[in-house]
Amino acid sequence: MHALTLPAPSHYDEMLLPSGAIRPHYQPFANWLHAQTPEALAKKRAEADLLFHKVGITFAVYGDEAGAERLIPFDTVPRIVPASEWQMLEAGLRQRVSALNRFLWDIYHDHEIIKAGLVPAEQVFANAQYQPAMQGLDLPHGIYAHITGVDLIRHADGGYYVLEDNLRVPSGVSYMLENRKMMMRLFPELFAQYPVAPVAHYPTLLLNTLRHASVADSPTVVVLTPGPFNSAYFEHAFLAQQMGVELVEGQDLFVKDDYLYMRTTVGPRRVDVIYRRIDDAFLDPLAFRADSMLGVPGLLSVYKQGNLILANAIGTGVADDKSIYPYVPEMIRFYLGEEPILHNVPTWQCRKPAELDHVLTHMAELVVKEVHGAGGYGMLVGPASTAAEVEDFRLRVRANPANYIAQPTLCLSSCPTFVESGIAPRHIDLRPFVLTGRETTMVAGGLTRVALKAGSLVVNSSQGGGTKDTWVLEA
């Protein structure tokens, strides 16, 4: 028997009420868990590790001397989301991504939100992710972000908040899919007790989104990868295989007569849509970084003539910049005439002198992030840092205030997680994936990331975080 004996939580716990009682939607799982022996569960977790190794589900960690690739730890206690909660989240995600796409169209066309004084011009046009080459370029259906990953956290008040928007090359969906396959293989009896919404059709939805983005009758879609040394190469290969399309590198493609072609064993084949997993700067050495060996010379010219779709579009990084994030609620009001369903985390912009003073004074209490940072790098979690680390970061912020934002240290919700000592609460977030094509679609769920260190709020896989299966219950 595996007794679930956890202390009553001091923050929001997905499984436990403040009294320590089990939340109703977790009760069948708790009953099942109570009937399991520690030995049986340990055997299942070992089986999961072995299977993940066999499939090759790895994540490269740059600078990790232990090895170029490792498994992302997978936890077998699922995150369970009631149907009513997901309905609210889905509506909020649709609203947010719609506003972000409208914003991207606007900043590369009429600049209405800037003229209205809601977003400062310098925040857009001086942004490192702004691409002047996109100004005035009309994209089919006005879609810039075909694939968006939105990072959500649940605070101690029980409410969901958006931590950040990922519109450049959001990753992690392969782990969402493989986690579900693993749970169904290891614990099929649980799926007989829970009406869990499926996620396996995501590759079909993604392929439909990419095909519908093109005006070609029968478009050829490819996945463009930097190559096997990229940290997310497994995902690139996985999604290409799942969609039944070619996985290509820049050297496999060439431009001729204003069109893009792929080299094949039976001769050149025209390419209409690229799901690219390469940053803007490396896409075309003739237009961006001349030293790029990853892109295709002349690709931008084909794109600007309307003969190619890039998902996501060039220049979308402006909208997922942390210095633009504070303005998303105003975007929703401005473009959609609606109140935001999902709320932002309160944010101080260090480029503003008064807000900089507050951040410098209270840095030991705050989370401070680089505006272009990703993967848990370039950030300070004040309460978890030493006085020396805080002072060092204070000097960095003072030297370049515009490069930083700060937020209160939110208490991410927790979920019971298997650790060496048994089961203990660990903090989690959630990244649903939103697809924008002829319509906005998403599978019910997302990637739940878990901070495996006790008390840690950093869930990024590059920082030692793990993942869980996310079960959205059908109504």
Side-chain angles (χ1 to χ4, degrees), residues 374-387:
Y377 296 105
M379 64 183 286
L380 174 90
V381 181
S385 303
T386 65

Side-chain angles (χ1 to χ4, degrees), residues 72-128:
I72 295 181
F74 169 65
D75 185 66
T76 51
V77 178
R79 184 215 189 115
I80 304 177
V81 181
S84 58
E85 281 186 14
W86 178 253
Q87 288 166 3
M88 179 276 295
L89 291 175
E90 184 176 17
L93 291 165
R94 289 176 184 274
Q95 179 193 61
R96 191 173 182 97
V97 171
S98 174
L100 287 166
N101 267 303
R102 296 275 290 272
F103 170 73
L104 286 163
W105 189 94
D106 187 20
I107 65 170
Y108 289 115
H109 288 81
D110 300 334
H111 315 145
E112 295 294 346
I113 200 166
I114 295 170
K115 294 173 185 174
L118 296 177
V119 178
E122 66 272 15
Q123 288 292 94
V124 173
F125 301 127
N127 192 298

Side-chain angles (χ1 to χ4, degrees), residues 391-414:
E391 184 55 35
D392 176 66
F393 220 85
R394 187 178 280 120
L395 293 174
R396 286 199 234 172
V397 173
R398 191 177 274 125
N400 187 8
N403 196 43
Y404 295 92
I405 56 101
Q407 296 170 331
T409 305
L410 296 184
C411 194
L412 278 64
S413 67
S414 67

Side-chain angles (χ1 to χ4, degrees), residues 27-306:
Q27 193 62 60
F29 177 82
N31 295 341
W32 173 87
L33 186 63
H34 185 70
Q36 307 304 306
T37 65
E39 294 76 19
L41 291 171
K43 185 178 179 182
K44 290 289 189 180
R45 295 200 304 280
E47 183 182 345
D49 285 348
L50 179 63
L51 288 169
F52 276 137
H53 268 295
K54 284 184 175 179
V55 175
I57 304 173
T58 57
F59 183 91
V61 181
Y62 302 125
D64 184 357
E65 296 179 2
E69 295 186 345
R70 61 172 172 79
L71 288 177
I72 295 181
F74 169 65
D75 185 66
T76 51
V77 178
R79 184 215 189 115
I80 304 177
V81 181
S84 58
E85 281 186 14
W86 178 253
Q87 288 166 3
M88 179 276 295
L89 291 175
E90 184 176 17
L93 291 165
R94 289 176 184 274
Q95 179 193 61
R96 191 173 182 97
V97 171
S98 174
L100 287 166
N101 267 303
R102 296 275 290 272
F103 170 73
L104 286 163
W105 189 94
D106 187 20
I107 65 170
Y108 289 115
H109 288 81
D110 300 334
H111 315 145
E112 295 294 346
I113 200 166
I114 295 170
K115 294 173 185 174
L118 296 177
V119 178
E122 66 272 15
Q123 288 292 94
V124 173
F125 301 127
N127 192 298
Q129 298 298 323
Y130 176 78
Q131 296 290 356
M134 294 294 291
Q135 192 63 47
L137 183 62
D138 291 327
L139 301 182
H141 318 298
I143 299 169
Y144 286 75
H146 303 82
I147 304 102
T148 307
V150 181
D151 291 348
L152 302 168
I153 59 102
R154 197 204 290 267
H155 187 37
D157 61 6
Y160 283 94
Y161 292 81
V162 176
L163 199 57
E164 61 183 54
D165 305 288
N166 299 278
L167 292 90
R168 278 176 277 182
V169 282
S171 63
V173 76
S174 61
Y175 306 108
M176 172 191 82
L177 295 168
E178 287 297 319
N179 288 352
R180 174 61 54 81
K181 285 167 65 176
M182 185 63 70
M183 287 294 285
M184 294 183 77
R185 176 168 181 164
L186 295 178
F187 310 113
E189 68 275 16
L190 279 171
F191 289 88
Q193 298 185 45
Y194 276 103
V196 181
V199 297
H201 58 298
Y202 176 86
T204 300
L205 293 179
L206 175 60
L207 183 59
N208 288 340
T209 297
L210 296 171
R211 283 178 170 162
H212 292 161
S214 174
V215 295
D217 290 334
S218 183
T220 297
V221 178
V222 299
V223 177
L224 177 61
T225 177
F229 294 106
N230 183 266
S231 64
Y233 180 72
F234 163 77
E235 177 158 298
H236 307 164
F238 175 86
L239 288 175
Q241 184 268 330
Q242 291 289 305
M243 289 191 289
V245 304
E246 295 294 334
L247 177 70
V248 300
E249 298 181 32
Q251 62 192 5
D252 300 320
L253 305 173
F254 67 94
V255 172
K256 182 180 179 182
D257 298 332
D258 299 327
Y259 288 97
L260 183 70
Y261 292 89
M262 166 175 55
R263 294 180 175 89
T264 77
T265 55
V266 293
R269 182 180 179 187
R270 183 177 155 186
V271 173
D272 304 291
V273 182
I274 293 180
Y275 177 26
R276 52 100 170 206
R277 301 299 293 258
I278 294 178
D279 288 338
D280 289 354
F282 300 98
L283 279 172
D284 182 348
L286 299 182
F288 304 113
R289 281 186 55 160
D291 62 345
S292 173
M293 302 295 288
L294 304 176
V296 185
L299 182 145
L300 179 63
S301 175
V302 176
Y303 185 56
K304 293 185 74 171
Q305 293 186 60

Side-chain angles (χ1 to χ4, degrees), residues 118-120 122-124 127 321-330 344-360 366-369 371 397 400-408:
L118 296 177
V119 178
E122 66 272 15
Q123 288 292 94
V124 173
N127 192 298
D321 190 286
K322 294 178 179 64
S323 68
I324 292 294
Y325 163 89
Y327 301 102
V328 177
E330 283 303 319
N344 270 22
V345 176
T347 302
W348 290 275
Q349 301 178 65
C350 295
R351 66 182 185 85
K352 297 181 178 180
E355 296 187 20
L356 172 63
D357 289 343
H358 176 87
V359 171
L360 293 174
L366 303 172
V367 175
V368 188
K369 305 176 182 178
V371 295
V397 173
N400 187 8
N403 196 43
Y404 295 92
I405 56 101
Q407 296 170 331

